[in-house]
Structures are given as C-alpha cells and as structure tokens.
Amino acid sequence: MNIYQHFSVVGFCNTYLIARKEGSEALLIDPGHVDTELINLIEANRYQLKHVLLTHRHPSHTEGLGTLKKIYDVEVHASAFSSYDFLYHPIEDAEVLTLCGLEIEVIHVPGHSLDSMVYKIDHALFTGDTLLCGRIGSTPGYREQALLISSINQKLMTLDENILLFPGHGTASKLRIERMFNHDLLQLGKIETERQNWREDE
C-alpha cells in the first residue's frame, strides 16, 4: 500500500492519497485544499482516482472537494451523521468498505464533531481531528471533550499499539507513542477518571 501525505498551508491540513500500487485505482482522504501539487502527485503515479473519504464536515477537510470533482469522477463517502449539499454515500460505525482493492474499517469517534470518523486501512489509522500527534482534537465544551476521550480510549487505544497514525493536522505518529506521551490523553483522561470516581462515591 502506498500512502502520500499532501500538506496545504490553506487550513494547515493534511490530505492523504492512498493506493495499492502505482497505476492502480486510488482514493483521497480529506481534500481540504486541491492544488497543482496534489494533481501532479496523482497524475505522475498514473493513479485512477475513484473515491474520497471524509473524516468530518469541517471546511479545512472538505473545501477542495468542489475543485476535485471538476477534474475527477469520484464517489464521496462520509458519516451518516453529516449533511452535505451534494450526493454522498453515508457510512456508519463498524462498517467495512472495500474500495480500490483496499479493506477500510470505519470507526465512529465523536467528540470533536458528531460526524467524526476514523479510517483503518491495513496498519494505518487516518484520524482526522480526533487524535493528533501529542494532543486530541478541539471540542466545543466539556461534555464533548469527555465523549472524545472516552471514544478514543474505547475504540482506538484498544488497537495494535504499532499502528501508524495519520492525523488531519500535524505530523504522523504511532498509537504506542500517543498512549505513552499524548499530553491531553494523559492529563484530561486522568481528570475524567477522577471525576467519575468522585460521582460514584457520592
């Protein structure tokens, strides 16, 4: 499996181009900004772009979609909790997709947004804004923060610790590294556990 990370200063976002091999069908995750560099990457490797996966609906992860669809005939896949003004295939937690010869496990991890999805492809985890290198995604309030921490711990931290992590912003990481050093998970998770224990003792 080939994974290419395309970084854009517009929104400081990562877009990922994924394919089994050169010249095969390919998919994109989170086309936040589509420029000539990304198009050249697709064309230079003779990829046939067929699908787009969206981790969530925030503009820094979706704004390039309009440009992309003018160039390529792609099918878009996104959370059933999302709402877009274009046709897309709604997907749900625990669903397994087979696209471009790749098996894709869909994991719903709400908190940053209700529609946040994480995609596991082989030994790679594409986390959008749920889990980033050294921190978790931003949340609009305490309840959403607690939900995000709980979702990460239950659905992501139980996976193989050697899985590579490719976030929507920032650098790549590894699940083991985040388990050991992610400041937000260590600090906020500890606070949340203490709060739960306190409620149980009341």
Side-chain angles (χ1 to χ4, degrees), residues 45-90:
N45 288 281
R46 297 181 291 110
Y47 289 135
Q48 306 159 50
L49 191 64
K50 297 293 185 179
H51 299 275
V52 171
L53 299 175
L54 302 178
T55 59
H56 61 298
R57 63 173 289 109
H58 291 168
S60 60
H61 300 265
T62 62
E63 268 189 337
L65 195 54
T67 301
L68 191 73
K69 292 176 75 173
K70 291 178 182 177
I71 305 171
Y72 300 101
D73 182 20
V74 294
E75 294 185 356
V76 180
H77 308 262
S79 170
F81 291 105
S82 297
S83 177
Y84 296 100
D85 57 1
F86 53 80
L87 291 176
Y88 73 99
H89 296 276

Side-chain angles (χ1 to χ4, degrees), residues 45-164:
N45 288 281
R46 297 181 291 110
Y47 289 135
Q48 306 159 50
L49 191 64
K50 297 293 185 179
H51 299 275
V52 171
L53 299 175
L54 302 178
T55 59
H56 61 298
R57 63 173 289 109
H58 291 168
S60 60
H61 300 265
T62 62
E63 268 189 337
L65 195 54
T67 301
L68 191 73
K69 292 176 75 173
K70 291 178 182 177
I71 305 171
Y72 300 101
D73 182 20
V74 294
E75 294 185 356
V76 180
H77 308 262
S79 170
F81 291 105
S82 297
S83 177
Y84 296 100
D85 57 1
F86 53 80
L87 291 176
Y88 73 99
H89 296 276
I91 53 178
E92 298 182 354
D93 184 42
E95 192 170 343
V96 178
L97 308 174
T98 302
L99 306 174
C100 305
L102 301 166
E103 188 174 277
I104 303 158
E105 296 179 38
V106 179
I107 307 171
H108 183 218
V109 187
H112 174 71
S113 65
L114 178 62
D115 66 334
S116 287
M117 292 295 195
V118 169
Y119 301 106
K120 182 180 180 295
I121 307 176
D122 196 12
H123 218 60
L125 207 59
F126 299 89
T127 57
D129 285 357
T130 59
L131 180 61
L132 301 93
C133 183
R135 62 188 178 90
I136 64 171
S138 61
T139 57
Y142 163 70
R143 293 181 184 277
E144 291 85 358
Q145 183 186 79
L147 175 61
L148 179 56
I149 292 170
S150 175
S151 299
I152 290 172
N153 284 330
Q154 291 178 20
K155 296 189 174 184
L156 302 185
M157 287 302 165
T158 54
L159 300 173
D160 183 348
E161 65 176 13
N162 291 311
I163 286 178
L164 297 175

